[in-house]
Amino acid sequence: MEIFGIWIASLLTLCIYSFLYRDNPFYRFAEHLFVGISVGYSIVITIHQGFIPLAWNPLSEAMVALGTQIRGEATPETSEALSGLFKIFPIGIGLLFFARLSPRQAWLIRYPIAILIGFNSGIAIPNVLRAAIFEQTHGTLTPFAQMHAGSMSLDDIIGAVFIGIGLICTLIYFFFSVEHQGPVGWLSKIGIAFLMVGFGAAFGNTVMGRVALLIHRTGFLINDWLGTIF
Amino acid sequence: MKRQGPLALCFLFGIALIFTQFSPHSVSQKLYEEVIDWGLIITPFALVLAVVTLIETHITRVRRRTEHWQYSLVVFVGMAVMVLIGIPFGPQNSIVEWLYNNVQVPMDATMFSLLAFFIASAAYRAFRARTFEATLLLVTAMIVMIGNVPVGDLAWNTVLSWIPLEDGASKARQWILDIPNLASRRGIILGVSLGVISQSIRIILGIERSYLGGGD
Amino acid sequence: MLEKLMNMDRRLIFILVAVVVIIPTLIPIRLPTRVSEPAQKLYDYIEELPPGETIMLAFDYGPSSLAEPEPMAKAVLRHCFNKGVNVIGVTLYANMPTLAHGLMQKIAAENDAIYGEDYIFLGYRPGALQVILGMGNNIASVFETDYSGTAIHEIPMMKNIKNYDQIALLLDLAAGSSTEAWIVYANTRYGLKIAAGVTGVIIAQMYPFLQTGQLVGLMPGYLGATEYEKLLNAPGDGTVGLNTASFVHVLLIGLVLLGNIAFFIHRRREE
């Protein structure tokens, strides 16, 4: 079964690589099979790792506990499980996503979406402010305090000054309320230069990432697949 | 009710999460935990949106007999096999695992590995030093590329051995990432974060409503 | 000739790339590597943890990008198992649980690590933010059971672990924006120490967080995996891959130079 699996995986791999020559039925078959299988897997995982443990289990345990409570056989455990009954509210709101199936009632999905959007917005404000604004500003300014205390090497001092200049110039480039002329124009040009270096670094690293994917697949075909033949 | 109700809920959940984060009171903490719990329970249902949209798209293709519509049937077969075995028997079922390991994983990995070929072709055809900015990007990318692999330092230490700096390629790469890259990324992070915060405030206050979609 | 060079059939470039990957895969070579500071910091942090401490390993990548994070995961798991540091596996990616579970089982078997005592795999729950925040209050409120359905409170390793307060480090193996989410929500809100092992695409955006200390350490792509393997003195997939990548990078640099030379000659002629 393992060797059969390797062969299937290899043939499908070759089907996808056939796209490098040109679009063809083998590639289209593999592409659509991949979409079907991966969506199917996501459904299975979301049900078994999301819906069942987070919604179904607590609710069904609460229903059983309610039955026990009604029969007068309550224990501390059943009383605790009863709190699961309150999950009926978020489950009910979650079920509104199914309103998508009816064009006339589709507006109901606004409720769960609004809750999730409100959730994400509310949680973001204080945390992003601290993690991204305060911490990053602090990280830029701290080396200058260390510099003042005389605890930095020349290399680090040059680096800190460079970072400070680069950050200010990059921010000036993104500041569109003032026309980019004269000194502001020059500083924004320096900002562009820093951004280009940043994008160049990202591109260089991206190449490594993409090449890694190819090396991984080639390794599979040569070592695992051809290994079953030779 | 169609718009006001969701806007009110968005406001309530947003405000609840902001304030409960600043208050250590037990009631506040209980509310904070409850709101997170609600978020956890509601989120899995969002899968319905993705699945329904995908099924609708492919049903339309089959109905209208658009070009290559037959392949939409392959999508349905793949999905049906996974769902019919996976839902009753769970993701740890041996057939589900076999399909995942021998069909999904290799194809997903291969699909993205095609990018290695396209990035090479694009680099050859479009990566030109036309302007000062483009040259800067190109030179930086080349230094990072050569500094990322061991052959870079090997070449430096062999060909440029007269320079009193060992492992120059990887050191140059490291300097680029540590200093100018850091400065520009930090600028982007600050800009994006200010955008996230202002947008979040607009959403909570109901000024930004695009997530509600069109209609009344 | 120049025209031909500038309009080279892209399939010729594809063949060149394929050849440059296939030959070193058939005949592997080993070139010397040095260890960068971010990877060293991560290694040192785990090395200094006393046996019995627990780290969390987040498999936040998918099958589409497993080439780089997988060797990192293997190296870190080996390091932890050999040191007696416990590992809690988790993923925020829906298409990852089977792969992550299988990988943990494989490396554990190679290192005689026992499920439930040395490591566990929690699995996946939808909603990245809610999962990160929920575990900060109580891991069991998000994962009442592990991936296989065993109740968390029945697992010996989890007896004294309630939330992030008992976790020494979260190592995020990432192919997307999950590391920022862990930093913003788990580090800022709950004080959990974060480190990352990321794919090439997102390496550059990690450096501001490294400088502020919001990231304890970083494994940058294949290079990071190779560096960690070198620190462990156990070359693996990362080392093999990075050496092969050397040839592809040289080819790409050559192609870019060739393309530019042809472009400049063409432009001069036109002028």
Side-chain angles (χ1 to χ4, degrees):
Chain A
M1 200 62 179
E2 197 190 331
I3 290 178
F4 179 61
I6 290 173
W7 271 83
I8 292 290
S10 307
L11 293 176
L12 289 169
T13 300
L14 293 175
C15 283
I16 294 193
Y17 278 143
S18 69
F19 182 74
L20 290 169
Y21 181 65
R22 66 166 177 227
D23 194 11
N24 65 76
F26 294 106
Y27 171 74
R28 284 196 291 271
F29 170 80
E31 183 195 27
H32 285 78
L33 182 66
F34 162 64
V35 172
I37 292 275
S38 59
V39 171
Y41 181 78
S42 297
I43 295 171
V44 172
I45 286 292
T46 307
I47 288 175
H48 278 271
Q49 293 277 292
F51 179 74
I52 292 177
L54 296 169
W56 179 257
N57 285 349
L59 194 65
S60 57
E61 278 165 22
M63 297 302 271
V64 172
L66 185 67
T68 318
Q69 201 93 355
I70 290 168
R71 287 196 302 275
E73 298 161 5
T75 62
E77 284 80 33
T78 55
S79 306
E80 201 187 316
L82 270 180
S83 64
L85 282 176
F86 289 106
K87 293 192 193 283
I88 196 85
F89 297 110
I91 290 171
I93 292 170
L95 286 170
L96 290 177
F97 273 115
F98 284 95
R100 168 74 174 74
L101 296 168
S102 154
R104 286 187 65 191
Q105 307 302 328
W107 63 274
L108 282 169
I109 68 165
R110 287 174 183 166
Y111 279 90
I113 289 176
I115 288 177
L116 293 178
I117 297 259
F119 182 103
N120 286 0
S121 304
I123 201 75
I125 294 169
N127 291 304
V128 171
L129 198 64
R130 269 179 67 192
I133 311 267
F134 295 158
E135 285 285 347
Q136 292 300 317
T137 310
H138 186 252
T140 312
L141 297 177
T142 307
F144 290 95
Q146 289 169 341
M147 222 182 281
H148 187 68
S151 59
M152 275 174 90
S153 67
L154 184 65
D155 276 6
D156 291 342
I157 291 172
I158 294 169
V161 172
F162 229 81
I163 290 172
I165 294 169
L167 176 62
I168 291 166
C169 293
T170 307
L171 289 174
I172 287 174
Y173 170 70
F174 284 121
F175 192 66
F176 299 115
S177 301
V178 178
E179 215 172 321
H180 288 191
Q181 280 181 338
V184 176
W186 278 105
L187 291 174
S188 98
K189 279 209 171 80
I190 297 172
I192 296 173
F194 271 89
L195 282 168
M196 288 303 139
V197 173
F199 294 146
F203 181 84
N205 284 321
T206 301
V207 167
M208 176 170 70
R210 300 307 184 212
V211 167
L213 302 176
L214 176 61
I215 292 168
H216 177 261
R217 292 319 294 156
T218 312
F220 168 76
L221 286 175
I222 290 177
N223 301 325
D224 295 3
W225 182 46
L226 294 183
T228 64
I229 305 169
F230 303 110
Chain B
M1 200 54 190
K2 286 184 177 177
R3 294 181 84 86
Q4 262 54 38
L7 284 173
L9 272 178
C10 179
F11 175 79
L12 279 176
F13 272 77
I15 290 291
L17 269 170
I18 293 173
F19 284 105
T20 53
Q21 285 184 79
F22 291 110
S23 166
H25 193 277
S26 62
V27 175
S28 165
Q29 285 312 298
K30 187 77 198 145
L31 179 65
Y32 172 73
E33 285 168 24
E34 197 60 38
V35 172
I36 290 174
D37 213 26
W38 275 48
L40 270 169
I41 295 169
I42 294 170
T43 309
F45 290 94
L47 178 77
V48 176
L49 289 184
V51 175
V52 167
T53 308
L54 182 88
I55 291 174
E56 273 179 359
T57 308
H58 285 280
I59 284 180
T60 311
R61 281 181 63 179
V62 174
R63 264 207 203 128
R64 293 185 183 163
R65 298 283 193 272
T66 54
E67 199 185 3
H68 306 316
W69 63 271
Q70 298 88 340
Y71 295 101
S72 291
L73 301 176
V74 179
V75 173
F76 290 129
V77 171
M79 201 186 329
V81 169
M82 212 56 163
V83 166
L84 291 175
I85 303 169
I87 290 182
F89 301 109
Q92 293 194 64
N93 172 272
S94 58
I95 299 173
V96 174
E97 287 198 340
W98 190 90
L99 283 170
Y100 174 84
N101 287 322
N102 297 304
V103 179
Q104 183 177 341
V105 172
M107 281 202 285
D108 202 356
T110 311
M111 200 80 81
F112 279 79
S113 76
L114 289 175
L115 294 170
F117 294 102
F118 296 133
I119 214 168
S121 170
Y124 176 71
R125 286 153 176 272
F127 216 10
R128 302 274 192 261
R130 287 174 205 273
T131 60
F132 170 70
E133 286 85 3
T135 312
L136 210 52
L137 194 147
L138 191 145
V139 171
T140 312
M142 300 236 274
I143 294 171
V144 172
M145 273 165 72
I146 201 70
N148 269 338
V149 285
V151 77
D153 279 341
L154 188 74
W156 178 283
N157 294 338
T158 318
V159 181
L160 302 171
S161 55
W162 47 274
I163 297 177
L165 176 72
E166 220 184 326
D167 300 334
S170 56
K171 280 179 182 160
R173 166 200 168 271
Q174 197 62 45
W175 185 85
I176 287 169
L177 286 166
D178 278 340
I179 310 291
N181 163 68
L182 187 152
S184 65
R185 291 282 155 187
R186 187 162 280 166
I188 293 170
I189 289 173
L190 288 174
V192 169
S193 305
L194 287 169
V196 167
I197 292 165
S198 64
Q199 192 71 346
S200 297
I201 293 171
R202 283 167 57 87
I203 287 172
I204 291 173
L205 296 179
I207 301 165
E208 171 62 53
R209 303 172 176 198
S210 56
Y211 66 89
L212 293 175
D216 49 21
Chain C
M1 175 67 188
L2 196 66
E3 288 293 320
K4 265 190 183 170
L5 195 65
M6 285 189 74
N7 299 315
M8 194 197 298
D9 189 336
R10 66 192 181 123
R11 281 172 285 204
L12 191 64
I13 296 171
F14 295 168
I15 291 169
L16 280 174
V17 172
V19 169
V20 167
V21 174
I22 290 168
I23 293 174
T25 307
L26 288 167
I27 314 158
I29 53 141
R30 275 276 298 278
L31 297 170
T33 45
R34 61 189 285 275
V35 178
S36 65
E37 200 187 329
Q40 182 74 51
K41 275 185 178 170
L42 172 62
Y43 176 84
D44 290 345
Y45 187 89
I46 295 179
E47 184 63 20
E48 280 160 22
L49 289 175
E53 279 280 359
T54 304
I55 72 157
M56 201 175 243
L57 194 57
F59 295 84
D60 294 338
Y61 57 93
S64 60
S65 49
L66 64 90
E68 291 172 287
E70 201 173 78
M72 297 178 202
K74 285 179 180 172
V76 171
L77 282 170
R78 282 188 188 117
H79 191 194
C80 290
F81 291 149
N82 288 329
K83 272 200 59 67
V85 171
N86 299 337
V87 183
I88 299 174
V90 67
T91 177
L92 302 176
Y93 275 47
N95 56 357
M96 199 52 203
T98 307
L99 208 56
H101 188 224
L103 184 71
M104 286 190 92
Q105 282 179 318
K106 188 179 165 219
I107 305 301
E110 286 170 10
N111 293 275
D112 301 322
I114 300 165
Y115 191 86
E117 289 178 19
D118 303 310
Y119 79 102
I120 67 159
F121 181 60
L122 293 175
Y124 163 80
R125 294 285 181 269
L129 280 194
Q130 290 87 337
V131 173
I132 294 173
L133 293 166
M135 286 200 294
N137 298 328
N138 185 359
I139 293 172
S141 71
V142 184
F143 292 96
E144 210 178 353
T145 60
D146 68 355
Y147 182 58
S148 307
T150 310
I152 287 290
H153 61 83
E154 287 173 10
I155 297 173
M157 200 188 103
M158 297 300 286
K159 282 249 159 63
N160 299 316
I161 295 174
K162 189 190 174 215
N163 53 31
Y164 294 148
D165 292 346
Q166 293 82 39
I167 307 284
L169 178 78
L170 176 287
L171 173 61
D172 188 35
L173 300 175
S177 56
S178 58
T179 306
E180 275 105 328
W182 283 106
I183 290 171
V184 171
Y185 299 105
N187 174 260
T188 308
R189 174 133 183 82
Y190 297 101
L192 176 64
K193 293 227 181 287
I194 313 279
V198 299
T199 56
V201 184
I202 49 171
I203 291 170
Q205 64 208 55
M206 291 296 117
Y207 279 77
F209 299 109
L210 206 55
Q211 190 254 354
T212 54
Q214 289 166 290
L215 276 180
V216 171
L218 175 74
M219 283 187 283
Y222 248 168
L223 181 61
T226 309
E227 290 173 335
Y228 212 93
E229 285 168 1
K230 186 179 180 184
L231 288 164
L232 290 175
N233 204 16
D237 297 346
T239 311
V240 173
L242 192 71
N243 282 302
T244 307
S246 287
F247 296 94
V248 191
H249 283 212
V250 170
L251 171 73
L252 282 173
I253 289 169
L255 284 172
V256 172
L257 289 175
L258 189 68
N260 275 280
I261 290 166
F263 167 72
F264 280 112
I265 294 173
H266 188 256
R267 196 161 76 171
R268 185 162 289 180
R269 278 187 193 165
E270 278 194 341
E271 280 169 2

